[in-house]
Amino acid sequence: MIKKILLIFVLFIFNVYANEKFEEGIDFELMTDRPSEYQQKKSDKINVVEAFWYGCPHCYVFDDYLIKWKKEIDDDVSIVSMPVVFNKPWLLHARAFYTIHELDNSSELHKNFFYAYHEQARTFPSKESIINFLVSQGENAENVSNIFSSEKVSKKVQEANYMLETYKIDSVPAIIINDKYKISGRMAKSYERMIEISKHIIDLERQKRAN
């Protein structure tokens, strides 16, 4: 239901913004003037990071846009999601994300977790509620519990926390490209536009690499 409500506002976006010119400081933020590793040819990938929280309704809707975009990206682009941790409930959901990431059916579980939160009002306030959900999806309870409490997951959550501070993320969803450009929801103004701005920045990085 929430997707249907939010999608009403973006049905016309593609035609409106298809030929739009995007500007630094208005549509995206340049976090540093330093050349990216991709631009310096130290890396062959343009790294796109989506900062999100499972409880964010806009992140829930944007996830469909992200899935579609991932199917269209070129080989020189990598897109990953990063859970943001602003408080203890968000910490639990970050651990849930990295636990899911370790499981075989991670893409489907990630989508189903989002769905359960927003369409079934399951807010997952505890480790037990998260494990119970994953067990209902066919996962082994002991395996899931061990992964959830593992040092590997703890380290990934710590890394995500560090990136949160480095990128100065204060809202979600947000897009970070090559540790250099940031697009917030406030700047993008729509889900489709966030993708289009990202594509614009990717083209900028390619041009700078070629020069």
Side-chain angles (χ1 to χ4, degrees):
M1 178 60 70
I2 191 163
K3 283 191 177 182
K4 291 180 181 178
I5 294 172
L6 292 173
L7 284 172
I8 290 172
F9 297 98
V10 297
L11 292 175
F12 66 94
I13 292 299
F14 179 78
N15 290 330
V16 173
Y17 295 117
N19 298 311
E20 185 177 4
K21 302 293 183 181
F22 301 116
E23 298 182 31
E24 176 191 328
I26 297 175
D27 302 301
F28 60 90
E29 177 185 342
L30 182 66
M31 297 186 293
T32 176
D33 290 326
R34 293 191 303 273
S36 67
E37 290 193 357
Y38 178 83
Q39 184 181 340
Q40 298 176 73
K41 300 184 179 179
K42 295 179 180 179
S43 169
D44 292 327
K45 289 286 187 181
I46 298 172
N47 294 311
V48 178
V49 177
E50 177 231 7
F52 83 102
W53 170 46
Y54 275 124
C56 163
H58 293 291
C59 299
Y60 175 50
V61 176
F62 185 61
D63 193 58
D64 280 347
Y65 287 80
L66 204 63
I67 290 170
K68 180 180 178 181
W69 187 28
K70 285 179 179 178
K71 295 176 181 177
E72 303 169 350
I73 60 172
D74 294 321
D75 292 340
D76 64 341
V77 179
S78 169
I79 303 176
V80 298
S81 295
M82 180 188 74
V84 169
V85 180
F86 287 139
N87 52 45
K88 287 185 177 180
W90 291 39
L91 173 61
L92 272 175
H93 299 153
R95 296 193 75 92
F97 171 78
Y98 286 119
T99 298
I100 288 170
H101 192 68
E102 292 297 311
L103 301 172
D104 291 337
N105 196 24
S106 59
S107 295
E108 191 68 22
L109 291 171
H110 172 72
K111 185 176 180 179
N112 291 348
F113 196 91
F114 250 142
Y115 181 88
Y117 196 110
H118 293 279
E119 305 295 349
Q120 299 175 343
R122 299 175 68 178
T123 57
F124 302 107
S126 65
K127 173 184 175 180
E128 289 71 26
S129 64
I130 293 167
I131 292 173
N132 288 340
F133 169 78
L134 293 174
V135 169
S136 76
Q137 300 292 303
E139 299 298 327
N140 177 271
E142 183 178 1
N143 182 49
V144 168
S145 181
N146 289 340
I147 294 172
F148 189 93
S149 302
S150 68
E151 184 63 29
K152 184 175 183 179
V153 166
S154 295
K155 185 175 180 180
K156 286 185 176 295
V157 171
Q158 289 172 359
E159 290 171 352
N161 246 335
Y162 173 77
M163 299 314 295
L164 167 67
E165 295 178 4
T166 301
Y167 297 147
K168 295 182 171 60
I169 295 171
D170 59 5
S171 64
V172 288
I175 294 286
I176 308 297
I177 300 177
N178 276 355
D179 298 322
K180 184 173 180 178
Y181 307 89
K182 179 168 65 176
I183 310 165
S184 68
R186 287 189 294 271
M187 297 179 108
K189 299 180 177 66
S190 75
Y191 311 115
E192 185 69 50
R193 200 167 180 270
M194 184 169 272
I195 299 293
E196 293 304 313
I197 297 169
S198 298
K199 290 178 179 178
H200 169 75
I201 293 171
I202 287 169
D203 286 341
L204 281 179
E205 283 289 276
R206 287 173 176 152
Q207 291 168 19
K208 290 179 179 181
R209 181 184 173 97
N211 292 338

